[in-house]
Amino acid sequence: MWRDVLFWVCAVLAVVSGVAVFRVDSMARATFALLASFLFAAVTVLLLDLPYLGVLVVLMMIMEMVVMAVFMIMYMMNPAGLMPMTMVHNPKGSLAIAVGTFVLLATGVLVTPWPGSDAPRPDDPTMQLGEALMGSKMLVMIVLGLALFATMVCTVVLATHRGRYDRYGDRLERKRPHDPIRGGLGR
């Protein structure tokens, strides 16, 4: 009984947090609302007795949102993305695309002749799913993870030829940035 109640509470909170992503007025708040939505969704997955997928969702989403927050703090014009701004661009076009995509996918789900199977259900479908996703590809995933991390570090190093410490001093004490070329926002 308590599992059912917790499942529905988390499901509702996941939807509410997902809606909040488009209702809050800063990127940082939207990031943490999205993280909350994924964490509530992960709890529903855990309650369905799928611990592997639930923990995977938790770990992936925390890392993803932390990376997003770090990039926001590094590169956003406003401090940490906390200044008010709209998170919806071209609302009518976005709504039309979202509704069209939903209708297309829902139609595909309803009209697709899904294959049936007479094979017996496996004892542990979570284990089979984990083996199918990661089993023989674990080495490739590890190498790709290192390559992606190295790419991110190199991109940050190349993109920050002159960071804010170069422009505003080691203690960020300058009121005006020290730039070799004048111009741009806030200069």
Side-chain angles (χ1 to χ4, degrees):
M1 176 66 183
W2 68 269
R3 290 171 62 103
D4 294 341
V5 172
L6 185 59
F7 176 88
W8 286 109
V9 167
C10 288
V12 169
L13 290 176
V15 172
V16 169
S17 302
V19 171
V21 171
F22 298 100
R23 302 299 302 170
V24 296
D25 62 352
S26 76
M27 289 191 71
R29 292 183 183 101
T31 299
F32 290 112
L34 186 60
L35 175 60
S37 178
F38 281 124
L39 291 179
F40 286 125
V43 172
T44 62
V45 172
L46 288 170
L47 289 171
L48 292 174
D49 292 330
L50 299 171
Y52 177 79
L53 290 179
V55 172
L56 192 65
V57 168
V58 169
L59 294 177
M60 284 179 56
M61 290 305 116
I62 287 175
M63 287 305 297
E64 187 176 313
M65 295 303 138
V66 167
V67 167
M68 188 184 298
V70 167
F71 274 85
M72 261 192 296
I73 291 169
M74 286 192 319
Y75 294 114
M76 291 292 292
M77 292 300 218
N78 58 40
L82 289 173
M83 298 294 284
M85 62 181 291
T86 180
M87 297 303 296
V88 180
H89 306 285
N90 188 9
K92 291 179 182 173
S94 301
L95 183 62
I97 291 171
V99 169
T101 303
F102 175 78
V103 169
L104 181 68
L105 292 175
T107 304
V109 167
L110 295 176
V111 299
T112 299
W114 298 103
S117 175
D118 294 330
R121 187 175 176 189
D123 293 334
D124 191 357
T126 304
M127 176 69 87
Q128 284 200 339
L129 180 61
E131 286 289 331
L133 288 175
M134 304 295 281
S136 62
K137 302 163 189 79
M138 184 57 78
L139 180 61
V140 175
M141 295 297 285
I142 291 172
V143 172
L144 280 177
L146 289 174
L148 285 172
F149 181 70
T151 303
M152 288 171 60
V153 170
C154 292
T155 303
V156 169
V157 169
L158 291 175
T160 55
H161 170 65
R162 284 185 48 81
R164 63 183 181 168
Y165 294 105
D166 294 322
R167 299 178 67 221
Y168 292 97
D170 291 337
R171 296 179 185 256
L172 302 174
E173 72 274 2
R174 290 186 202 129
K175 292 213 181 246
R176 297 188 147 265
H178 177 65
D179 292 330
I181 299 173
R182 292 186 50 81
L185 187 65
R187 294 180 186 170

